[in-house]
Amino acid sequence: MYKTLKIYILVSFMLSFFPISLSAMEKSDSVSHYQVIQDSILQNIFQFSPFYSKIVDEYKADVYLKGRVRVHKSNKLVRYIPSMFRLEKGVNDYIIESLSEMHYTAPDIYNRKVKAISSTFPRHRGQLTDLTNFLNMNIYSSSIMSDKLLSPLDKECSKYYTYLLDSIVKEDNSQKYKIRIVPKFKGTQLVSGYIWVSDEVWTIREVYFEGKFDMIEFKLLNIMGKDDEEEFLPVRLNLDINFKFMGNHLEMNAGAWVKYNMVEFYKGGERRKSQKKHSHDLTEFYKLTMDSTQIVTGRDAMDSIRPVPLTNDEFFLYQYQLARNNSSGWITKEWKEKVEEKKSEEFWGQLGDVLVSSYNVNLSSLGSVKCSPLINPVMLDYSHSRGISYRQRFKYNRLFNTGRLLRIVPQIGYNFTKKELYVKGDMEFQYWPEKLGGVEINVGNGNRIYSSVVLDKLETLADSTLNFKDMELDYFKDIYLNVFHNIEPVNGLMIKVGASVHWRHLMDKSRLLLKDFVTQAGGGLLQNLDIRSEYNSFAPRIRLEWTPSLYYYMNGRRKMNVGSSMPTFILDYERGFKGLFNSNDEHERLEFEVQQKIKLNKIRTLSYRAGVGAFTKMDNIYFVDFVNFKRSNIPDDWNDEIGGTFHLLDRHWYNSSTQYLRGNVTYESPFILLRPLNRWLGMIQQERLYGGILFMPHLNPYIEVGYGIGTHIFDAGVFVNSMNGKFDTIGFKFTFELFND
């Protein structure tokens, strides 16, 4: 419906904090004395909610946000919280406010422009939490808070709630019902609170929700408009947030005021703008833009446009900031000394930010740099087949006025179990943004690999005798370079044409020395092993990715793909030529894959990935190194790799066959197996079921199934596999997700 609430959100993300106490909000209390509400009332609510969720087609509004942050407890660990506001020593009270213009068009499409922002924080960058999660909600929708909470106004979700009649109030010729909402069990996807609903048209007049998600306890009061144009839209929002983490306690009281300048409703006889037949271009409606160069900052500017006056306490916070910054004549000598001491501390504090916080550096016309915290448990990963790994990623972006984009992403990773260091760099220059035309370069050191000499030996072994640990493998270091030219000639079809280059060097040359010795001695078994110390390959390559019915919008000259309800088909082909650019390898590789993520409803998803690949036309010594079927040496984010990876499969298997056939599927839902235990396990946000099957020589088949949970602190999974119909092993995967975006 009027995801208007998003309105707040989007802006609040910039704004990050506001004031207004929820002291008037009702606390949760005993519900034993309330009577169960009549089914007829609930059925009316469930019947009208889907219609009201889509009734607003477009609006324009001004949004003023004001927030106050109080630091009740803090210690040095607060610096380890990525994206947290930079706090000043000895200062425990802050204010921040913003004024924005918002343009909404259905469905869920927003054009936001922040006009002014002011705060008493040392710098505007930072946030207590991502407020978009809390404010981005359509109260009539089946889910709220960015699809993280189950709405009690949705019929399908009602099975998780108990509804009690609190009171009835007569108003003119109608009645209003106050309905208490109580979750049937604990869960981070469920909320408690109340709603005020009016009979006759069964519209929501007021909503109060409270709950807990991640490490945030929130209380949200949403007041709907009274006028005809504002009846289905919120005009006032109050939010209380409590953040507690390892001895730190921060509280935010926020308020949002919305003034609608234009509201248009969906007329049942007319096709909605966003539902144009045969059109996937959402440019007219999908404008998520914010011109940061036009934002007015500072209190003086805010004083002239603020629609709601400051309270005496809020006014004092600004005055106190002037004193801290040595901007007032009544500052004492002792205070000046403290200011100088604070400046020294700020330098070391900013240096510490680089170590423990996600860091963004805007270089004006040169672009922006972002890196993950250097010291952060989120960067650690454990899996049964890989062991303990660490990763770090840096990002450089520069967007030119013409819409052209330069992106550079260097990465490093270290595997503590195997004591291996990996380096990777990706660069893309998009020179034709309308067609996603550009040049892409990938360089790095790949997984250590062995040659076809090992594959030949594998073919002579029975499945029961194959054990990589007992084999003497000639490992090669691999340095790779991929160069592509990318273009999207028609919507949804991406064509990548380029070349793949590998330089492989034998790690242990002792066997070559032994071969030379045996040859000079006049014979021996090793004479037949044609092994070199170096192998180079050069292979022209083409990759086709096709996603039918792909929706997109144009942001200036840049084409921004939004998504599709159809699967993506991928064909990857390369041909290595011997003698070309000093290449001593000849091969042909062909891989085909289809993948899709299906949203079954707001909170349940089904993902699948199926593929086949083969190497052909190999000559002499060659290396099997697939693109779609491989283990990344630098761990990806949980959601990037968890659904399409065999977590218990030893990495040797990925290079042990010239062909493969695989399939993976993942089902994700907040309630699968642990619902009866949610009273004690309420912190679990998602449960996941995994399944995978692989066919290749010596694995007919390899089957892996798993179960995982996701919380705000970590993601974990347990997996079991079988080889050729026999149980093999059980293993685990664990990834910190604390503060991970």
Side-chain angles (χ1 to χ4, degrees):
M1 153 143 152
Y2 15 99
K3 312 217 164 180
T4 219
L5 268 169
K6 271 178 163 183
I7 226 179
Y8 309 136
I9 293 178
L10 293 177
V11 191
S12 77
F13 174 79
M14 250 323 271
L15 197 250
S16 264
F17 312 91
F18 347 111
I20 290 260
S21 173
L22 293 187
S23 58
M25 293 186 182
E26 300 190 28
K27 310 285 184 182
S28 296
D29 56 356
S30 173
V31 297
S32 59
H33 61 282
Y34 298 116
Q35 60 178 319
V36 177
I37 195 167
Q38 299 176 21
D39 289 340
S40 59
I41 296 178
L42 289 178
Q43 292 307 316
N44 281 320
I45 295 175
F46 298 149
Q47 179 182 351
F48 281 89
S49 290
F51 172 72
Y52 291 152
S53 68
K54 303 173 184 176
I55 195 171
V56 176
D57 201 58
E58 182 180 8
Y59 66 71
K60 294 180 180 179
D62 294 325
V63 181
Y64 172 64
L65 299 170
K66 182 169 61 172
R68 187 167 178 176
V69 177
R70 294 179 175 87
V71 181
H72 297 291
K73 277 183 172 183
S74 67
N75 54 44
K76 293 183 179 180
L77 292 176
V78 76
R79 302 174 62 85
Y80 286 79
I81 304 172
S83 302
M84 172 62 72
F85 270 120
R86 186 78 169 87
L87 304 177
E88 291 188 81
K89 186 176 181 180
V91 180
N92 298 322
D93 215 342
Y94 303 87
I95 184 176
I96 182 167
E97 48 184 338
S98 74
L99 185 65
S100 306
E101 294 178 354
M102 184 68 67
H103 180 203
Y104 165 85
T105 49
D108 304 338
I109 300 169
Y110 295 86
N111 177 19
R112 175 194 60 170
K113 181 180 290 186
V114 179
K115 300 195 304 184
I117 185 170
S118 176
S119 79
T120 60
F121 285 96
R123 51 179 179 263
H124 295 315
R125 180 180 66 84
Q127 59 190 37
L128 179 60
T129 184
D130 187 353
L131 290 185
T132 60
N133 286 333
F134 294 93
L135 304 175
N136 180 14
M137 65 172 69
N138 174 355
I139 63 173
Y140 292 102
S141 178
S142 60
S143 64
I144 51 181
M145 211 177 93
S146 301
D147 296 344
K148 294 180 179 179
L149 299 177
L150 298 175
S151 172
L153 301 182
D154 180 70
K155 185 175 182 180
E156 182 180 351
C157 300
S158 64
K159 59 187 176 182
Y160 303 119
Y161 293 99
T162 298
Y163 302 85
L164 304 170
L165 181 61
D166 181 290
S167 55
I168 302 176
V169 176
K170 289 189 177 182
E171 191 175 77
D172 297 330
N173 297 324
S174 64
Q175 293 186 136
K176 288 200 309 182
Y177 300 94
K178 184 177 182 181
I179 301 174
R180 292 275 175 175
I181 298 168
V182 182
K184 292 183 177 179
F185 50 87
K186 289 185 178 180
T188 58
Q189 297 81 15
L190 304 178
V191 296
S192 61
Y194 67 81
I195 61 173
W196 277 101
V197 59
S198 176
D199 68 355
E200 293 185 338
V201 292
W202 300 101
T203 55
I204 305 300
R205 310 315 315 140
E206 184 177 308
V207 172
Y208 170 69
F209 288 149
E210 62 179 57
K212 184 175 182 179
F213 201 89
D214 290 345
M215 284 167 289
I216 299 295
E217 297 178 359
F218 67 91
K219 298 177 181 178
L220 178 65
L221 176 64
N222 187 19
I223 301 175
M224 310 299 288
K226 294 182 179 180
D227 298 335
D228 291 341
E229 285 193 346
E230 300 177 349
E231 181 179 3
F232 302 96
L233 296 167
V235 295
R236 180 66 187 279
L237 181 144
N238 289 349
L239 175 66
D240 273 3
I241 285 179
N242 271 279
F243 173 86
K244 297 179 180 179
F245 170 70
M246 299 185 70
N248 294 279
H249 179 196
L250 284 74
E251 180 184 5
M252 182 186 73
N253 309 121
W257 292 259
V258 186
K259 178 185 177 182
Y260 295 94
N261 302 314
M262 182 272 287
V263 179
E264 290 187 3
F265 296 96
Y266 165 55
K267 299 178 177 61
E270 300 178 5
R271 178 176 294 277
R272 302 181 70 183
K273 297 176 183 179
S274 57
Q275 295 175 340
K276 290 182 178 180
K277 200 172 183 179
H278 306 307
S279 176
H280 297 101
D281 186 355
L282 302 177
T283 302
E284 184 180 353
F285 320 106
Y286 213 112
K287 297 178 181 178
L288 287 170
T289 59
M290 182 182 65
D291 189 357
S292 59
T293 62
Q294 301 299 319
I295 297 178
V296 177
T297 60
R299 178 188 167 189
D300 293 340
M302 185 63 71
D303 286 342
S304 63
I305 59 178
R306 181 187 298 111
V308 179
L310 297 174
T311 65
N312 291 335
D313 287 346
E314 293 164 353
F315 178 80
F316 174 77
L317 290 179
Y318 276 117
Q319 294 301 106
Y320 184 52
Q321 181 194 35
L322 293 176
R324 298 199 309 270
N325 293 337
N326 198 22
S327 301
S328 177
W330 54 267
I331 300 299
T332 64
K333 179 181 179 181
E334 291 76 10
W335 186 272
K336 290 181 179 179
E337 293 176 352
K338 290 183 179 180
V339 170
E340 294 301 321
E341 180 183 352
K342 183 174 75 70
K343 289 181 179 179
S344 175
E345 292 176 351
E346 282 183 351
F347 169 77
W348 296 106
Q350 291 172 359
L351 178 62
D353 283 347
V354 177
L355 298 178
V356 302
S357 300
S358 296
Y359 216 73
N360 293 274
V361 180
N362 292 316
L363 304 177
S364 184
S365 60
L366 298 180
S368 64
V369 177
K370 178 180 180 180
C371 73
S372 305
L374 297 180
I375 303 175
N376 189 350
V378 171
M379 301 293 103
L380 291 175
D381 173 279
Y382 170 79
S383 66
H384 177 83
S385 59
R386 181 160 46 200
I388 300 176
S389 303
Y390 170 84
R391 59 187 168 91
Q392 177 58 256
R393 181 184 295 120
F394 302 85
K395 295 181 181 179
Y396 169 81
N397 292 281
R398 182 179 179 185
L399 180 62
F400 298 85
N401 294 332
T402 58
R404 296 175 179 174
L405 176 67
L406 174 63
R407 180 184 294 113
I408 302 175
V409 185
Q411 301 180 57
I412 61 173
Y414 184 77
N415 189 294
F416 294 92
T417 303
K418 298 179 173 58
K419 296 180 175 60
E420 296 173 0
L421 176 68
Y422 299 100
V423 180
K424 177 183 178 183
D426 300 318
M427 188 278 286
E428 179 184 10
F429 176 64
Q430 200 174 90
Y431 69 89
W432 191 0
E434 295 91 341
K435 293 293 184 179
L436 302 182
V439 177
E440 179 182 349
I441 299 176
N442 316 113
V443 63
N445 61 327
N447 291 309
R448 297 176 182 178
I449 193 172
Y450 47 81
S451 69
S452 59
V453 173
V454 177
L455 270 67
D456 295 337
K457 183 177 180 180
L458 294 180
E459 293 180 357
T460 64
L461 299 177
D463 296 344
S464 59
T465 61
L466 181 56
N467 189 336
F468 285 106
K469 295 181 180 179
D470 298 333
M471 298 180 62
E472 187 177 356
L473 305 179
D474 294 310
Y475 279 112
F476 287 78
K477 292 183 178 180
D478 177 28
I479 306 296
Y480 67 86
L481 171 66
N482 296 319
V483 180
F484 286 109
H485 179 267
N486 307 329
I487 193 73
E488 190 185 50
V490 297
N491 180 45
L493 177 61
M494 174 63 73
I495 301 177
K496 297 185 176 185
V497 179
S500 179
V501 183
H502 287 267
W503 296 275
R504 297 184 172 98
H505 303 266
L506 188 63
M507 294 182 59
D508 184 5
K509 298 182 180 181
S510 59
R511 295 194 69 192
L512 292 182
L513 297 176
L514 178 60
K515 174 188 172 183
D516 293 338
F517 173 79
V518 172
T519 301
Q520 295 174 6
L525 181 62
L526 295 180
Q527 289 184 11
N528 296 324
L529 293 180
D530 187 14
I531 300 178
R532 298 181 180 182
S533 62
E534 298 181 5
Y535 288 89
N536 303 326
S537 68
F538 179 89
R541 178 180 167 192
I542 181 171
R543 184 177 177 90
L544 306 177
E545 300 181 9
W546 179 46
T547 306
S549 302
L550 181 64
Y551 287 92
Y552 68 95
Y553 67 94
M554 301 299 297
N555 186 359
R557 291 184 56 196
R558 298 181 63 209
K559 182 175 185 284
M560 312 295 291
N561 290 331
V562 178
S564 172
S565 59
M566 301 292 288
T568 297
F569 302 91
I570 302 173
L571 180 66
D572 200 305
Y573 173 80
E574 72 177 27
R575 180 72 163 88
F577 294 93
K578 191 173 183 179
L580 190 61
F581 295 102
N582 295 322
S583 173
N584 46 30
D585 176 27
E586 183 173 352
H587 70 273
E588 186 177 65
R589 178 184 60 81
L590 179 64
E591 292 183 78
F592 175 77
E593 182 171 287
V594 57
Q595 55 183 247
Q596 185 180 12
K597 187 173 185 178
I598 305 172
K599 211 161 191 179
L600 302 179
N601 59 23
K602 290 291 186 178
I603 60 169
R604 295 180 177 87
T605 58
L606 179 69
S607 305
Y608 68 86
R609 181 178 179 183
V612 60
F615 270 83
T616 61
K617 299 183 179 179
M618 288 81 69
D619 179 57
N620 198 15
I621 302 295
Y622 58 89
F623 296 83
V624 173
D625 199 357
F626 288 105
V627 173
N628 296 335
F629 176 63
K630 66 187 304 180
R631 286 298 300 271
S632 174
N633 49 39
I634 299 179
D636 296 320
D637 293 334
W638 181 279
N639 290 328
D640 291 339
E641 73 160 18
I642 190 68
T645 302
F646 298 96
H647 295 277
L648 302 183
L649 188 65
D650 190 283
R651 66 176 181 175
H652 298 98
W653 286 106
Y654 291 89
N655 312 113
S656 65
S657 173
T658 57
Q659 62 270 335
Y660 73 87
L661 174 65
R662 57 86 65 89
N664 297 86
V665 63
T666 303
Y667 173 69
E668 185 175 53
S669 172
F671 309 115
I672 300 179
L673 302 179
L674 298 182
R675 177 179 170 183
L677 303 177
N678 231 275
R679 180 178 178 182
W680 301 276
L681 303 175
M683 66 180 295
I684 296 176
Q685 297 174 346
Q686 291 290 341
E687 296 181 69
R688 307 179 181 105
L689 297 178
Y690 306 99
I693 187 168
L694 171 66
F695 294 92
M696 61 165 47
H698 297 289
L699 294 178
N700 287 299
Y702 172 85
I703 298 176
E704 185 174 296
V705 296
Y707 168 80
I709 59 172
T711 74
H712 65 275
I713 299 177
F714 64 87
D715 279 350
V718 57
F719 300 88
V720 178
N721 68 350
S722 69
M723 293 185 178
N724 304 313
K726 297 180 180 179
F727 168 78
D728 181 56
T729 187
I730 181 172
F732 301 89
K733 177 178 173 62
F734 183 91
T735 302
F736 279 105
E737 293 296 312
L738 191 63
F739 311 120
N740 199 15
D741 297 331

